[in-house]
């Protein structure tokens, strides 16, 4: 790089004292889904905004990675759910290659959770149920938006919104076939807790062939 950014000095010196309590084997749940529930609950109480926001990383069949933020809408033994447009860039990537990763970062707790697994589509019925629980404007926006594809300008989108609002006046907005949920079934879940002196805690759970979870501590 010929000219360093004016922010170089600022970002190099950003260091926080990390004084959080640790993540010990004796306290962590045997089941990572239960451990995730404990941490998400604490993040809901502590994070000021969108603690359910997660980075979703995908890769095309020829290995080109992309990542973006989506919102977790449900989770449990059946996996981690999020909703999107199936024709979007992520939708196309997942169609080609269902392997994906999720990253949660809860800065106020100095915590990170990494989840790797395989993604499948939720049923249209389940997607429609969630679709209709959303505000009407969000339903119409999802209906008209050809997510990730180029549009001429913002007015084009506003015109599409207006005509769909008129079309569905006094009617239920149908959940489009191109919109719905994905569920990621995890094979690996890692919990990272920031600690003083950078000796951070990392507990990693991997799913064995027997479907049991194996837990290991990883070096930071
Ligand atoms: C906090 C936040 C939450 C978001 N939640 C979603 C979501 O749940 N579903 C979604 O499709 N896009 C969501 N987005 C937009 C995506 O990050 C992204 O721009 C969009 O899905 C298109 O991604 P793609 O072109 O990689 O498919 C969210 C963005 C932010 C910043």
């Amino acid at each position: 790089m010929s000219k360093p950014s004016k922010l170089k000095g600022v970002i190099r010196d950003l260091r926080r004292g990390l004084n959080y309590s640790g993540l010990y084997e004796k306290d962590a749940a045997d089941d990572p889904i239960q451990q995730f529930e404990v941490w998400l609950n604490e993040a809901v109480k502590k994070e000021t905004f969108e603690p359910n926001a997660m980075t979703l990383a995908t890769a095309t069949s020829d290995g080109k990675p992309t990542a973006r933020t989506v919102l977790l809408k449900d989770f449990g033994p059946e996996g981690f759910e999020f909703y999107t447009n199936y024709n979007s860039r992520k939708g196309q990537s997942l169609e080609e290659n269902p392997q994906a990763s999720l990253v949660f970062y809860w800065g106020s707790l100095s915590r990170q959770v990494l989840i790797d697994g395989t993604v499948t589509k939720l049923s249209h019925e389940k997607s429609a149920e969630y679709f209709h629980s959303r505000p009407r404007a969000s339903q119409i926006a999802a209906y008209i938006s050809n997510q990730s594809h180029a549009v001429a300008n913002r007015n084009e989108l506003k015109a599409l919104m207006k005509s769909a609002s008129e079309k569905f006046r006094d009617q239920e907005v149908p959940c489009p076939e191109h919109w719905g949920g994905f569920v990621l079934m995890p094979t690996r879940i890692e919990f990272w807790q920031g600690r003083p002196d950078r000796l951070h805690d990392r507990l990693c759970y991997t799913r064995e062939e027997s479907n049991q979870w194996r837990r290991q501590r990883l070096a930071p």
Side-chain angles (χ1 to χ4, degrees), residues 32 66 71 157 193:
T66 50
L71 296 176
L157 293 171
Q193 172 70 65

Side-chain angles (χ1 to χ4, degrees), residues 50 53 68-71 83-84 88-90 147-148:
E50 293 181 330
R68 77 291 287 154
T69 312
V70 293
L71 296 176
Y83 289 83
T84 194
S88 64
R89 191 158 75 137
K90 75 182 89 49
Q147 193 178 51
S148 312

